[in-house]
Amino acid sequence: MTADAKSSAVAKTPPRRPDIKSLTRDELLAQFKVWEAPQYRVDQLLAWLYDRRATGWESMSNLPKPLRELLAQTYGLGALALVTQQGAGDRTKKFLWRLEDGHLIETVLIPANPALYGDPSDRHTLCVSTQVGCAYGCQFCASGLQGWKRNLRPEEIVEQVLAVERWQGSRTAAPANEESGDPRQAGSADFPSAGSRISNPPTPGGADRLIDNLVIMGMGEPLANYEALMKALRILNASWGGKIGARKITLSTSGLAPQIRRLAEEPEQFRLALSLHGANDWVRNRLMPVNRKYPLAELMAALEYYREKKGRMITLEFILIAGVNDALEQARLLAVIARKLHARVNLIPYNQVEDFSWERPTEAKQEAFLKVLLDRQVMATLRREKGGDIDAACGQLRLKTERARKVTPHVSEGGTPRRPD
Ligand code: SAH
Ligand code: SF4
């Protein structure tokens, strides 16, 4: 295509309408004021969006028709399209969604597990994606294998929560056809306690939510999509929106030091997890290219700053890979780092990804590594679940699906996606 033809093709594309779920209550109030619509209509609209998880304007029966029409002309009301849903033995559910432009993203629903990020009162944790693919290319992660395609918009992050709750609600409301993958035809529930309430009118205050714990650990590097992520988290956290407490939201980063400092300035008390995976620069460089840009000393300084500003405990994630980072010397260095940062440590046995030849250490080795930490009074846990159930969150389902279907992800006008950072 010539440059001219290309620019005229671009010119013909109508501008995207903002999606209604990318707006805060204050933004909607300002818009309704311009329209001279009463403010209580905003709260009615928000109840449709976040309590009833509506997917069509027509269903918003208590809003006057002219207002609904105005909304429909001005805003999009997108919903994620389910491609596949897989349930694992431990009842972890993986969802693969297709976005408007054909890209695929993953979301994983994990039943209550206090040892993970939540506490014993948590019902379900949802692991959400923030980007299509990832630019950071860590040498153990499926998400980075096909590079970075684009950032998710706020509503695409928010929708992952709503779409899973909608899916669960419809399963409870209309039992049939278990593996169809179609939320409208889905089958019997195995989350009866929370799910059965979802199809009913919601109780104010969000007591009926299926998901009360969020981990931003799906596909992508959250802090490389900072603005959209913060907006989405504010919507999910708001009393008029997702109603998920800030302390129940954990953000995981591969270590973007400047953005960690920026996060420290935010008013919300989100939790922070740092994917460490190497306790010195040599090991970390081997696994995580981001470490060349922000080496450990710089990262540690940013984390200390974060901890001082927030007064919150950080979690260090450490995947155990045989012969790469499982030496007891690494455990000793990790203990020094954890103590300095007053951080807790999550040890995660490496999950096999086809493209990498790594293996997880034996259980005895994993336990020996843990013992070094515990002996040094570091708060540490070792994930003992059978492999593949939870960490397959990280881009593996999408990768397999795209390879199996030979889907070439659509690249928008403007050419090759580039590294965002
Ligand atoms: N980009 C962010 C968040 C997404 S990755 C980050 O890197 O923190 C979420 C977590 O899954 C990270 O701790 C990551 O290191 C881990 N992970 C990725 N691939 C994995 C694998 N094959 N086995 C175990 N954990 C993995
Ligand atoms: Fe990206 Fe995180 Fe995977 Fe690294 S571990 S490639 S930063 S998603």
Side-chain angles (χ1 to χ4, degrees), residues 1-15 412-415:
M1 204 190 278
T2 64
D4 276 357
K6 199 169 176 178
S7 63
S8 72
V10 172
K12 271 185 211 144
T13 316
S412 57
E413 289 283 345

Side-chain angles (χ1 to χ4, degrees), residues 206-408:
D208 64 333
R209 306 306 299 223
L210 170 69
I211 295 152
D212 63 352
N213 207 33
L214 268 193
V215 291
I216 318 300
M217 294 190 184
M219 209 192 311
E221 168 48 54
L223 296 186
N225 186 14
Y226 194 94
E227 307 287 346
L229 173 75
M230 291 310 291
K231 190 144 197 209
L233 294 187
R234 287 195 173 119
I235 292 170
L236 288 168
N237 173 227
S239 55
W240 48 262
K243 305 175 183 65
I244 302 173
R247 289 157 200 270
K248 304 264 180 167
I249 299 178
T250 304
L251 251 135
S252 176
T253 177
S254 58
L256 308 195
Q259 283 90 328
I260 291 171
R261 287 177 183 273
R262 188 172 170 196
L263 191 66
E265 310 297 341
E266 304 289 356
E268 290 87 1
Q269 291 285 23
F270 300 129
R271 291 177 192 238
L272 183 64
L274 186 274
S275 295
L276 192 63
H277 311 325
N280 58 14
D281 280 323
W282 191 83
V283 173
R284 204 162 188 266
N285 281 344
R286 189 174 171 198
L287 291 172
M288 305 180 73
V290 68
N291 196 66
R292 293 172 204 273
K293 191 159 183 186
Y294 305 116
L296 268 179
E298 195 176 336
L299 184 54
M300 291 281 291
L303 291 169
E304 277 184 87
Y305 179 78
Y306 180 92
R307 195 184 63 83
E308 273 163 26
K309 270 264 164 177
K310 289 286 190 205
R312 308 232 7 118
M313 188 177 246
I314 294 164
T315 302
L316 300 174
E317 318 243 31
F318 204 92
I319 302 180
L320 290 172
I321 308 179
V324 176
N325 65 357
D326 63 339
L328 296 187
E329 179 56 17
Q330 280 286 300
R332 285 189 279 269
L333 291 173
L334 175 57
V336 173
I337 293 175
R339 288 182 62 109
K340 189 152 186 230
L341 293 172
H342 303 274
R344 89 183 85 207
V345 174
N346 260 357
L347 297 177
I348 308 156
Y350 165 70
N351 255 319
Q352 198 70 45
V353 176
E354 271 171 31
D355 296 57
F356 304 111
S357 52
W358 312 124
E359 280 175 14
R360 55 171 59 182
T362 61
E363 278 181 25
K365 268 232 136 156
Q366 296 173 23
E367 297 287 349
F369 198 100
L370 175 67
K371 186 168 183 301
V372 171
L373 297 176
L374 297 177
D375 286 349
R376 284 161 177 73
Q377 278 76 51
V378 173
M379 212 193 292
T381 50
L382 168 63
R383 196 181 288 174
R384 292 187 175 87
E385 290 97 322
K386 292 205 179 69
D389 278 353
I390 288 173
D391 295 311
C394 305
Q396 295 196 56
L397 180 57
R398 165 180 169 263
L399 190 70
K400 279 183 193 149
T401 308
E402 281 191 346
R403 283 180 177 167
R405 295 182 181 182
K406 295 200 168 43
V407 172
T408 310

